[in-house]
Every structure is written in structure tokens, then in C-alpha cells.
Amino acid sequence: MSKAELKAGKKKNELLETIIVIIEALAIALIFRTFLYQPFSIPTASMQPTLMIGDYFIANKWVWGYGKYSFPVPLPFNGRIFGSQPKQGDVAVFRNEITNEDYIKRVIGMPGDHIQMKAGRLYINGKMLDRQRIGTGEDTDSYMTTVPVTLYTETLPDGVKHTIQEISDDQPLDNTAEYVVPAGHYFMMGDNRDRSADSRVLSQVGYVPFDDFIGKAEARFFSITNNLPPWQLWEWPANVRWDRMFQSVN
């Protein structure tokens, strides 16, 4: 065999090895994303101030097991494989089957719970939740509309505390009928109470089946203002929110 043939054969083997390495890397990434952790970004204001527009976070895929929407392509089965039930106060990514989009909200009502809003206050099973005012601020939505808000610490029945914000206590979703959460479903609400389309809007979100849960939001790993694309590195110095990176979601 000539030197030219040996050289050509070596290049062919190197190309094949490179292709194999790329395929293996893609397979590992796909397995990691499907079964362990999946990254998401926040495009709307519904979970502010907990998750702001331009926040990027990791969702735990295995903590609640795997449903049909846990996979890159939804699979034709019902129920969940492995995992445990969500807890009140968890922040969850789920598929909204009405809009066919991924949503993120907080688990507020458990199966069988009675949920109602009265004059801006949240009632669970007839009891008004404790809400302590902690300050004021401004909230900017995805349309760049800014409004003044009041921030509160709200305490759920299981003792979980989280921050919510309100424009006022007389907005369209601040007075509702009583909702009764069906078995196998959860009542989801955004922390930005007056700028969140959530389970209070039955025609748009409604009660969320456990089968539709994708993962539990666990930690922010990046954050940039105005929802700028992260690849625009020249925008980082003025727009990256360094103080929001590498923090847990709660």
C-alpha cells in the first residue's frame, strides 16, 4: 500500500471517529435533557419577581417521574413513570394542552382543595392565607409596559413562604368563584398575581393534570434584561443580571 493510500485511509478513520464522537455527545446531551435536567427560559412576566423575563433556569425532570410531555416528542401514553407527587409551593413547568405551550407556575392547590380569590386575597379551603407587605417596586412585562406594584410574602398552608406582587387588590382576577381541584389535577398560579393567566382562567389554563407536568424549576443559571439573546456577548456588560445567576428557585 502506498503512502498516499495510507494517508487517505488515516484521514477516513479520523473522520469516522469524529462523527462517532459527535453522535455520542449528542446522544448523551439528549439523555441528560430527557431524563435528568432541561433548561428553560422565561419570556413573560407571570412569575416575576421569582422568575423574571430573561431568566434561564434548570428544571429537574426526574423528581416527579416521567409523563408524556417529558420527552422531546410527546409519547402516546397516560400516567407517569416513577417519581413522586408535587408539593404545595413547588414551581413547575407543565404543558398547557389548551395552548400547546410550556407554562411555568407555582403549585397552589392540591387535588380536592377549594381555591378562591376575594378582594385580592387567596383562600385555600376557606382560610385566607397570611400575606405580609415587604415593599414596593415596578413591574415591566414583555410589552415593555411598566406599572407600580406592591410586594408581599405569602405563606401557604404547609408553611412554604414565597414572594408575590400585586398591582392592586381589585384587578380582574382578584375576585373569583370558588374552584374545586379535581382528582389528579393541580391549581397553578403565577407569583405576579395581576399579570398571570393561570388556573383562575379555566378557558386558557384551568386545572392542570399531573400527567402534563414536565419538571420542577430548581436553579437559575443565567439572566439578561429585555430578553436579549444570550449569544449577543457584546450586550452582556450592560444587561446581564449577575446577582440572579446560580441561585435556587423558591
Side-chain angles (χ1 to χ4, degrees):
M1 184 177 292
S2 66
K3 289 183 177 180
E5 288 174 329
L6 286 171
K7 189 174 182 180
K10 184 178 180 182
K11 286 185 176 180
K12 184 177 181 181
N13 289 336
E14 288 176 350
L15 177 61
L16 181 60
E17 289 174 0
T18 300
I19 292 172
I20 291 173
V21 168
I22 292 172
I23 292 173
E24 288 176 343
L26 291 174
I28 292 170
L30 181 61
I31 291 171
F32 185 88
R33 180 185 183 278
T34 300
F35 295 103
L36 298 176
Y37 294 95
Q38 181 175 345
F40 291 92
S41 63
I42 299 295
T44 69
S46 69
M47 280 297 293
Q48 294 183 158
T50 305
L51 287 166
M52 300 183 68
I53 295 171
D55 279 354
Y56 288 73
F57 67 94
I58 288 290
N60 184 326
K61 299 286 288 290
W62 50 267
V63 66
W64 297 326
Y66 308 101
K68 57 187 174 183
Y69 294 114
S70 299
F71 305 92
V73 177
L75 299 183
F77 74 94
N78 295 318
R80 299 191 74 81
I81 304 170
F82 311 120
S84 58
Q85 300 290 318
K87 296 178 181 177
Q88 200 170 46
D90 286 344
V91 177
V93 180
F94 61 92
R95 176 61 57 86
N96 181 352
E97 292 189 333
I98 298 174
T99 64
N100 198 32
E101 296 174 307
D102 293 339
Y103 274 37
I104 181 165
K105 308 289 180 186
R106 191 178 296 275
V107 177
I108 293 296
M110 309 297 284
D113 279 349
H114 292 238
I115 309 293
Q116 189 170 14
M117 296 293 297
K118 298 179 183 179
R121 301 300 297 272
L122 176 59
Y123 289 73
I124 299 181
N125 297 323
K127 183 179 179 180
M128 185 174 68
L129 268 58
D130 181 67
R131 189 185 76 172
Q132 300 293 325
R133 186 178 184 274
I134 56 175
T136 59
E138 291 186 337
D139 180 73
T140 302
D141 65 10
S142 55
Y143 300 101
M144 302 306 294
T145 301
T146 301
V147 295
V149 293
T150 303
L151 288 88
Y152 301 92
T153 296
E154 185 177 75
T155 304
L156 294 169
D158 62 359
V160 171
K161 297 179 183 292
H162 60 279
T163 302
I164 65 169
Q165 59 186 32
E166 299 265 11
I167 296 173
S168 71
D169 284 336
D170 60 358
Q171 296 295 302
L173 294 176
D174 281 334
N175 288 280
T176 70
E178 183 178 75
Y179 304 92
V180 181
V181 187
H185 292 66
Y186 293 86
F187 197 90
M188 315 296 292
M189 293 179 67
D191 291 346
N192 196 357
R193 288 288 165 79
D194 296 325
R195 283 183 153 179
S196 174
D198 48 41
S199 290
R200 293 173 291 178
V201 186
L202 296 179
S203 62
Q204 187 172 343
V205 182
Y207 310 109
V208 179
F210 186 33
D211 289 1
D212 294 354
F213 278 47
I214 296 172
K216 178 184 178 183
E218 289 210 337
R220 295 187 298 267
F221 64 89
F222 188 74
S223 183
I224 190 166
T225 63
N226 302 321
N227 216 16
L228 292 169
W231 55 265
Q232 294 182 356
L233 301 182
W234 58 91
E235 297 283 3
W236 283 28
N239 294 286
V240 169
R241 294 183 287 234
W242 301 100
D243 60 324
R244 293 186 62 79
M245 293 167 63
F246 308 110
Q247 293 184 351
S248 62
V249 176
N250 49 45

